Each structure stands twice: as C-alpha cells, then as structure tokens.
Amino acid sequence: MAASKPVEPQSGSSLPRWQLALLIGTPIVLGVGAVYLWNRSKTKDSPGKRNGERTTPEGSASPAGWMVRDGVGDSQSPLDRAQGAKNKGNKYFKAGKYEQAIQCYTEAIGLCPRDNQTDLSTFYQNRAAAYEQQMMWTEVVQDCTQAVEMNPRYIKALFRRAKALERLDNKKECLEDVTAVCILEAFQNQQSMLLADKVLKLLGKEKAKDKYKNRDPLMPSPQFIKSYFSSFTDDIISQPLQKGEKKDEDKDNEGEAAEVTESSGYLKAKQYMEEENYDKIISECTKEVESGGRYTAEALLLRATFYLLIGNATGAQPDLDRVINMEDANIKLRANALIKRGSMYMQQQQPMMSTQDFNMAAEIDTRNADVYHHRGQLKILLDQVEEAVGDFDECILLRPDSALAQAQKCFALYRQAYTGNSQSQVQTAMDGFEDVIRRFPKCAEGYALYAQALTDQQQFGKADQMYNKCIDLEPDNATTYVHKGLLQLQWKQDLDLGLDLISKAIEIDNKCDFAYETMGTIEVQRGNLDKAIDMFNKAINLAKSEMEMAHLYSLCDAAYAQTEVARKYGLKPPTL
C-alpha cells in the first residue's frame, strides 16, 4: 500500500480537508492538514435551537402586539399592523397551526411598507419557516430568496434556503448558501458545518464517478513508480532481469532468468521497466497473455500492477483474480496479487474485502514479509494501531533489515501515544525513531515520518533537519518538498519560502497531485480563489483513485462556492 502521502486513519478527531479550504486565516498544520475545531467552545442551545438548528420564527408571539381595542386600531401605522399580524402568526406557529401562521405572515407582508426592508425580510423568513414545516420546499426557497434580497446577510434565511435547496437536490446553490452561513457564523455552528460537509461529499462523489470513468489513463512519474515497487521485497515481478537463459525449474524467487532477446512479451516488458519506458509495459504483457506464454501468470500480475498505477482498477481486477486463482502459480505471485487487490479494495472503501485478501495472503504465504508490512499499513488506516504494530513486528522478524517497516512501526506507536495523550509513550516512540535513523541512516522514509512526529511536537527546527536528510537521500522526491514547505508556513509563517518549496516539488514532478492540492489549499487561504481552483483541477486530473478524486472535487467546489459568495454577498473571510 505504498502511497505518495502519509497514511491517515479513517476515524478520529480530524475534520475533512475541505474545511481547510473554507476556513481562512487559521494556522496550517503539517501532515494531516489543519484542524480548526479542536478547542471550539461549546455554547448552550438557545431557545428555539436544537443542536444549532433554527426552527422558530422571529419576533414575539405575545398577543399584546396585535390585539386592537375599539377606537385604537384605526390609529395604528401600517407597520404596526404588519407587526401585529406577524405576532399572531408566531402564536399560531408555536401551536403547530402552520396554515393559519402562513395566512398571518402573508397578511403582514401585504401590510408592511416596501421601504421597511428589514421587517419585510423577517416576515418572508417567518413564512418560509412555516412552509418548511409543511415540507413545501419550493415555497421555502422563494420566500427565503425574497428575504435575502432585502437582507443579504440574513443567516436564518440563508440556512433555511440551503436546507430546502438540498431537499430539491440543488446541491450547487445549497453549497453556496451554506458556505455564506459558515463564513457569517465564523464556522461556529455545527449544523451548517455538517450540511456543508454532506453536500461537498455528495458533489465530489457525483463528479468523480463521471470523471473517473471517462478519464484518460495517466502514467505516474518514474519517481512514484519506483517508490511504489520499493515498498515490496518479495515481489518477483519487480526484480531485475538476470543475464543468461535458464530453464524454468532453475528460476528462484529473486528474479526471472531469461535472455532479453527471447521472444517473450513479459521479458520485453521487464526490460522496459529497467529502462523506465513504462508506457509500453501493458501492451507487452498483453502479448504474453494472449500467446499463452510460460510467463502468463507474471505478465498478468505485472499488467494488473500497471493498471492500478494508472488508476484503472476495472482493468486490474480480472488479472488479479486470475493470478489468485492459479493454484499452480508461484505462491509469491498469488500473495502479491492478494496484497494489491486488497489495497485496491481499500481505495474503493471496502475495508472488509481488503482485510479478507490480506488475511488470505498471510494464510497461503506465511513467511512473506510484504503481507505483514502492507497489512500493517491497512490497520493504521483502519485505526487499529495495536494490530498494525503486531504486523510490523512480524515483518521485522522475517526481514530484520526492513527499515521501512521499522519506521512505520514507530509512526504507528507515535500515533497511538499522541491520540492517547500519553507523554511517556510519545517519548518512547520518539526514541524509537532515533534508533531507526541511527541503524538505517539511508532510509528516507524514516526521516520523513520522524519529521511529521517532530512537527506534531512543535520541534520545528529538528523536523526541518529531518526533511533536509530526506532531500539529501532522495532529491527527486517531490512529496518531501511539499512537507518541508508546509513546515515553513507553520514554523516561521514564511509564505514565500513555503510556496517556493511546493513550486520546487511541481518542478521536480509535474504529476505530483499532492503538491497541486497543497498549493490550491494555500491559495484559498491567501484569497486567490481562481488560482486555487486551477490547482485543484490539476490535482483532479492526476488523481489515482475515484475516492481521491472525489476529495479533490470537494476542495475545488468549496473554493468555487467562496467565489460565488464573494460575488453575491461581498463575504470574504480574512486571508493570510
């Protein structure tokens, strides 16, 4: 389950990253993104609110405001009479008599002078509240629109319209309204935040489903591909070709012994791998499979791997299924296919099927270190840290020289200690990182994960040193530059240096979706929404899974909603 970004658990206290794209001016946090509601004060619900929900009309329901004694009512102004009708409507509303309430609010609207815009907007909003109780969503939208036109920053009317628009399946305009509400309320109301999150996720999924299905396959950068294969140690197909041809029975688990000149699509594909000519690998593997050559199982697995790398899970699964069901195939091939199918299921948010595949891989190849290493990563994603540590321990037992497993075990222990607020265990994990980088000084991942932990502990200077070590070891790793850039923003509030480093990442690897996503998020914080949208769209075109694409669409839609809110209502949160 190699990844270009650090793994994050599915559960926990952190909030979706779209909220970082909406909330402006908060500190940027390295790694998992900015979480801005950690210490949000919890206020008691006021009368008429349940969990932040607005249900009541505005104004007093006392009959004193609308009762007219003989000889007195004639002297009342039109506005007084309108207020009286509204108050009567409020009384009916609270009694659950919504038809009568609507009649009273309609009377108030008719009586109110047109130049009393604030009062008139209240009357429309109150009638909308009554329509809402009767689930008359079109009428709710119409009345709230009238209210907002007279009072563009009318939170109750905006939020009520947003809820009605959601019911009418108008997600785009719903998002714009709820975005305006979030900004006006300084992101302090849980109900509006939850609605925004819900709508963004729905929009993201809808757009990603269509886009991902029709996207052109895109080969990742050579650096990403090499990083992916380096996460496997028992993967036959990633081993280099050996010189000289041997018989099948003389092949060992460390690589295929065959001459490159042999007429084999698979062997040609392996040669293209060594030459980093990745675009030709799938076609050569197809030749091997269609000819029924002796490397059919290997070709199927290699083709499936590159289908996964270009984001074509539909093409990959049949090949993986075939290899898994080949009982006479090398057990390492079958286990590797199970690992990759399990990782694919996890990307598709099918954790039970993913777990089944990893468990099956462990059953058929009990001494395969890759199974435990990648299952450990799965357990971190599922927030099952103790089980993850156990898998990493098993991997280390089988391969004591596995620096990556050692580093990821430390990171798992750190996450457990950090979320459990155990300072002594945090220190133990940090000491473990020190031991890993001492014993494996050439493991860039060890420095990178340690840097993330150091940043959490606000040891920024040392974290910066760790990222410098990463860059020395892997100068072409774009992701490291992104993390280092984020560190500069959090540590020194050095926006220029942070952006320069992220731009450097894009210069190194113009297919680094993480760099574009991060750049887009920063541009939102700077108030450069058009540029942010451009960055998010570039990241969307590079997304390696439908789930990742849906998340990126959420970020992009959040930024676009802000541009519309700024245009319509002049609402712009403070920028960096």
Side-chain angles (χ1 to χ4, degrees), residues 461-481:
K462 191 167 184 178
D464 193 49
Q465 293 174 16
M466 295 301 105
Y467 283 128
N468 288 337
K469 290 279 191 181
C470 289
I471 291 171
D472 288 342
L473 290 167
E474 295 182 353
D476 293 333
N477 190 328
T479 304
T480 305
Y481 286 92

Side-chain angles (χ1 to χ4, degrees), residues 233-244 246-258 266-267 270 274 295 298 330 332:
T233 56
D234 280 322
D235 183 3
I236 293 175
I237 63 169
S238 66
Q239 300 297 333
L241 284 164
Q242 294 179 350
K243 302 299 181 183
K246 296 180 181 178
K247 296 178 182 178
D248 279 353
E249 57 268 23
D250 292 333
K251 293 192 298 180
D252 60 24
N253 291 340
E254 298 303 315
E256 292 75 37
Y266 172 69
L267 294 178
K270 289 294 295 289
E274 292 186 6
Y295 297 107
E298 290 87 343
N330 187 312
K332 297 290 183 190

Side-chain angles (χ1 to χ4, degrees), residues 506-525:
I506 294 172
E507 181 183 326
I508 291 170
D509 180 4
N510 64 3
K511 294 180 180 179
C512 181
D513 57 324
F514 184 38
Y516 290 114
E517 175 189 345
T518 306
M519 184 75 83
T521 302
I522 293 171
E523 292 298 348
V524 168
Q525 295 204 9

Side-chain angles (χ1 to χ4, degrees), residues 327-366:
E327 294 187 3
D328 58 341
N330 187 312
I331 205 71
K332 297 290 183 190
L333 292 174
R334 294 177 64 205
N336 188 267
L338 282 163
I339 293 170
K340 288 170 180 173
R341 192 175 71 177
S343 299
M344 179 192 73
Y345 283 143
M346 194 61 199
Q347 280 193 330
Q348 296 171 345
Q349 295 182 293
Q350 301 183 66
M352 290 185 63
M353 295 183 70
S354 177
T355 300
Q356 288 173 5
D357 272 2
F358 278 105
N359 292 345
M360 188 186 301
E363 289 174 7
I364 68 171
D365 193 4
T366 58

Side-chain angles (χ1 to χ4, degrees), residues 353-389:
M353 295 183 70
S354 177
T355 300
Q356 288 173 5
D357 272 2
F358 278 105
N359 292 345
M360 188 186 301
E363 289 174 7
I364 68 171
D365 193 4
T366 58
R367 298 191 59 78
N368 188 325
D370 287 343
V371 174
Y372 302 104
H373 177 202
H374 288 267
R375 190 170 68 178
Q377 291 186 333
L378 167 70
K379 297 300 183 183
I380 292 179
L381 286 168
L382 296 175
D383 209 20
Q384 299 171 1
V385 179
E386 289 187 13
E387 293 182 34
V389 171

